[in-house]
Amino acid sequence: MSKVRVRFAPSPTGPLHIGGLRTALYNYLFAKKMGGTFILRIEDTDRSRYVEGAEKYILEALKWSGLELDESIEKEGDFGPYRQSDRKAMYEKYAEELVSNGHAYYAFDTPEELAKMREDLKTKEDPNPKYNYVTRGNMKNSLSLSEDELKAMIDNGTPYIIRLKVEPGEQIQFSDIVRGEVTFSSNELDDKVLMKTDKMPTYHMANIVDDHFMEISHVIRGEEWLPSTPTHVLLYRYLGWEDTMPQFCHLPLILKPDGKGKLSKRYGAKMGVPVFPLEWKDKEDLFIGFREGGFLPEAMINFLAFLGWNPGTEQEIFTPGDLIQAFELERINKSGARFDIEKARWFNQQYIMQTSDAELAKLVRPYVEAEGHQPTDDYLQKVCGLMKERFEVLTDFWENSRYFFEEVSSYDNEKIIRKRWKPENRKKMQDLKSTINRLSNFTGENIEAHVKKFIEEKELSFGEVLPFIRLAVSGTTKGASVFEMMSVLGEDEVAKRLARGFEDFDKIKENA
RNA sequence: GCUCCGGUAGCCAAAUUGGUUAAGGCACCUGCCUUUCGAGCAGACAAUUGCGGGUUCGAAUCCCGUCCGGAGUACCA
């Protein structure tokens, strides 16, 4: 087989959706696995839908996700330009070639005339009449018009489009890597528009010309393209490029969590769930991103890879490098996968646990600094070591770990204080406070031994002591090991917090 | 409507391509461990493979029918 060259071809009409990112990912994985080339091509042929900033967003999202491009608008290879608006002349040339070969024709119908035709021909059996071999004879085009009429139209500068002339009665078969052999009857196809009145190509035209000249070997794209693939096959055939036609691989859709329909932009905004890699703001909406949601790119990629593919083994955690090794187009699923953010969070937690304390400290630092604290690297790393299996997303770090950085201002479980705090034990507890910071080595182990000995000597129970130490030190009844926590905080801070805590507990008890 | 594509526990899914009791993970629940939470370990719950026929010694896998879901049906991609 010749060299693998694949492309990701988004249109800059908004932020890159998670489904698009998955398409990019599969292209990337396949290219890397095969030692091939991963290309970004910007499909900006619809000027009315062009969105400022979308191109930049796409590039940034790919970069954050770690999908490195071999050729793109920023890194031109030998097959440029990589933006369709810069390749305009080529499309025109080949569209005209199709017209002169009799495989395409000019059409002059106005949008109103088109609408009228569809309205007139609409029946309940056929609610969407096609512009095809049945209807084109009644429309205004170079097939139906007389030579004089045609010449007049053109001389007048009447705007026209170019349509593909699809011959009826043909079976169009192609092989899809995930679906197998797929067959369509040409009778079902319509005469797709190839060139618009503004001389820009449609997706169909641009796609085939570009894929051919960019020597694309595999077209890996979403399932929504499956129905237009026969048109594309015809285009390759009529252009004389069928022998180098790329292989098709249509990916299953990513569905909403309820399984009804494609995952949409709106869904994410509505449910407060990220469906974009990066945050995107426009006038009306704010779409949250995985990055801002506290996800690690590797975890998101791992999650995404499994949305429509699996290695067939029991392994679930794959670094990007592992994914490249294991990935196979043949193992892509046929059915759509529901988007389950819970699973994404699970993947993220797995990755957080795997991350080294030093690395994690770097990731978490911005969240701590946003709260106005500047801990040393050493301190932050220790906290990370204690907390790393206790949060799923980076954004939860602060809430779970704040007591390491600022003093306790409230207690999340006053009920236990009211119920089980015994003021008569207060005197004994004071002893703990005053002896604990005299420990020679303030390690978790030593503290634990000391506290246990203390409980024994004073004839107290664990339940009378431990929850209250925890509460006094952290303000919460959950979290890392109390002793380790105290060790990280340091003897002075601990003594201070115990004193303050015991006082507060008395007050709470009194007011109960 | 029509065309195409799907359908394995609540969710993601495996099943060496027709071969013994239909993997595994997520979620949920229980136990152990920590007198906390999480993590980890052990376990439990959960599927007449959408449904009905057929072929076969044998069907999730092949055939026919049927139902449900999705995509497409634009001078959007």
Side-chain angles (χ1 to χ4, degrees):
Chain A
M1 199 202 297
S2 54
K3 200 169 179 321
V4 166
R5 290 178 54 83
V6 295
R7 95 281 127 114
F8 176 54
S11 40
T13 54
L16 183 57
H17 184 263
I18 212 74
L21 220 214
R22 191 203 50 179
T23 301
L25 173 63
Y26 285 11
N27 273 283
Y28 167 82
L29 292 174
F30 180 64
K32 293 298 127 186
K33 164 123 188 174
M34 306 303 285
T37 307
F38 176 49
I39 300 154
L40 176 76
R41 184 174 70 220
I42 297 292
E43 308 223 329
D44 58 347
T45 54
D46 185 356
R47 288 180 307 190
S48 64
R49 292 207 309 156
Y50 185 84
V51 171
E52 203 60 49
E55 256 184 35
K56 233 180 91 193
Y57 178 100
I58 291 166
L59 255 5
E60 200 188 334
L62 257 19
K63 200 168 168 198
W64 182 70
S65 307
L67 308 188
E68 207 187 317
L69 293 158
D70 299 310
E71 295 173 22
S72 82
I73 49 175
E74 283 189 323
K75 188 181 173 188
E76 302 251 330
D78 300 333
F79 300 84
Y82 291 83
R83 217 179 324 247
Q84 288 186 329
S85 55
D86 295 333
R87 315 180 118 241
K88 217 175 144 186
M90 301 181 77
Y91 312 125
E92 233 180 311
K93 179 182 165 202
Y94 288 99
E96 290 296 345
E97 185 185 307
L98 286 170
V99 174
S100 43
N101 290 344
H103 290 303
Y105 58 91
Y106 301 120
F108 302 90
D109 316 278
T110 63
E112 293 71 31
E113 287 165 336
L114 249 19
K116 187 173 184 307
M117 179 275 278
R118 291 189 179 116
E119 193 52 41
D120 291 349
L121 267 42
K122 193 162 97 179
T123 60
K124 61 176 178 300
E125 289 75 34
D126 183 12
N128 298 300
K130 296 180 180 66
Y131 199 118
N132 65 1
Y133 70 100
V134 200
T135 54
R136 66 182 165 229
N138 303 321
M139 304 301 289
K140 278 198 295 193
N141 53 56
S142 57
L143 263 24
S144 64
L145 264 27
S146 73
E147 245 174 75
D148 291 347
E149 287 171 316
L150 183 60
K151 191 169 181 308
M153 295 280 256
I154 291 176
D155 289 349
N156 285 344
T158 314
Y160 64 87
I161 60 174
I162 295 178
R163 281 181 187 272
L164 181 68
K165 188 184 171 205
V166 178
E167 306 295 348
E170 229 181 304
Q171 291 297 109
I172 301 161
Q173 192 184 60
F174 58 91
S175 157
D176 183 277
I177 293 174
V178 345
R179 322 266 151 195
E181 296 297 317
V182 182
T183 310
F184 286 81
S185 162
S186 66
N187 296 354
E188 304 300 333
L189 269 33
D190 55 356
D191 289 352
K192 279 252 153 27
V193 175
L194 264 20
M195 298 296 291
K196 308 182 244 185
T197 39
D198 64 359
K199 305 283 184 198
M200 285 296 261
T202 58
Y203 171 87
H204 310 290
M205 186 69 202
N207 206 253
I208 270 57
V209 171
D210 289 344
D211 284 348
H212 178 255
F213 286 105
M214 290 182 163
E215 297 179 14
I216 299 302
S217 60
H218 300 256
V219 170
I220 303 167
R221 75 222 308 189
E223 194 187 55
E224 66 271 25
W225 293 109
L226 195 55
S228 47
T229 304
T231 300
H232 302 163
V233 172
L234 247 26
L235 241 12
Y236 280 108
R237 186 174 301 167
Y238 294 157
L239 254 6
W241 300 336
E242 202 174 5
D243 53 337
T244 56
M245 186 170 77
Q247 280 198 261
F248 295 104
C249 178
H250 288 95
L251 273 22
L253 266 8
I254 298 180
L255 275 22
K256 285 186 269 198
D258 64 6
K260 301 223 183 258
K262 281 203 281 192
L263 185 67
S264 64
K265 298 182 179 187
R266 295 283 153 212
Y267 174 83
K270 215 169 70 190
M271 308 304 280
V273 155
V275 299
F276 295 92
L278 275 33
E279 182 178 282
W280 172 270
K281 274 184 263 220
D282 61 29
K283 280 145 283 168
E284 305 96 59
D285 297 290
L286 169 74
F287 299 112
I288 57 175
F290 274 83
R291 183 176 64 185
E292 291 74 16
F295 285 84
L296 307 183
E298 297 82 3
M300 177 190 70
I301 287 298
N302 199 155
F303 164 68
L304 232 40
F306 271 72
L307 233 43
W309 171 88
N310 76 81
T313 65
E314 287 181 15
Q315 186 183 350
E316 286 201 282
I317 303 298
F318 283 82
T319 64
D322 292 342
L323 279 175
I324 290 169
Q325 287 307 308
F327 190 74
E328 284 173 47
L329 293 178
E330 288 72 19
R331 289 201 64 89
I332 293 172
N333 295 124
K334 291 180 173 66
S335 51
R338 299 188 196 195
F339 181 85
D340 178 12
I341 195 67
E342 284 309 316
K343 188 85 186 205
R345 291 172 67 90
W346 178 80
F347 271 113
N348 207 56
Q349 185 177 38
Q350 296 295 314
Y351 274 80
I352 286 176
M353 287 190 289
Q354 269 185 20
T355 305
S356 71
D357 297 351
E359 198 53 44
L360 197 52
K362 273 186 223 157
L363 293 170
V364 127
R365 177 169 287 282
Y367 297 99
V368 177
E369 293 190 347
E371 300 290 340
H373 302 281
Q374 304 278 342
T376 64
D377 285 341
D378 182 57
Y379 186 77
L380 193 52
Q381 284 175 29
K382 278 186 186 151
V383 174
C384 285
L386 280 184
M387 298 302 292
K388 63 161 59 164
E389 61 223 8
R390 277 166 247 263
F391 59 107
E392 291 182 312
V393 285
L394 263 19
T395 43
D396 284 348
F397 175 79
W398 171 255
E399 219 24 67
N400 294 330
S401 317
R402 60 186 306 156
Y403 53 83
F404 283 107
F405 309 98
E406 56 189 32
E407 62 181 45
V408 174
S409 54
S410 66
Y411 305 97
D412 73 353
N413 195 343
E414 293 200 359
K415 201 161 70 186
I416 195 175
I417 300 169
R418 285 194 290 267
K419 261 187 152 160
R420 306 206 355 228
W421 173 248
K422 294 182 182 157
E424 60 269 31
N425 287 346
R426 169 73 181 272
K427 209 188 232 147
K428 296 179 180 174
M429 296 296 273
Q430 292 290 44
D431 274 0
L432 176 66
K433 189 219 91 186
S434 49
T435 54
I436 202 161
N437 56 351
R438 282 188 225 133
L439 277 172
S440 56
N441 214 344
F442 205 66
T443 64
E445 231 172 85
N446 286 350
I447 300 167
E448 181 168 2
H450 180 262
V451 170
K452 284 185 173 161
K453 204 171 92 200
F454 163 82
I455 289 172
E456 233 170 83
E457 282 173 0
K458 302 284 180 185
E459 295 183 322
L460 291 166
S461 71
F462 278 74
E464 286 172 313
V465 178
L466 258 20
F468 298 102
I469 298 182
R470 175 181 289 283
L471 220 37
V473 168
S474 70
T476 168
T477 49
K478 50 191 182 197
S481 146
V482 226
F483 310 115
E484 295 297 336
M485 187 195 293
M486 290 195 281
S487 168
V488 169
L489 282 165
E491 49 266 59
D492 295 340
E493 184 64 25
V494 167
K496 210 168 84 192
R497 289 189 184 192
L498 287 178
R500 159 96 189 272
F502 297 158
E503 260 172 53
D504 287 345
F505 297 162
D506 279 352
K507 277 185 221 146
I508 289 167
K509 187 85 184 181
E510 274 169 35
N511 297 336

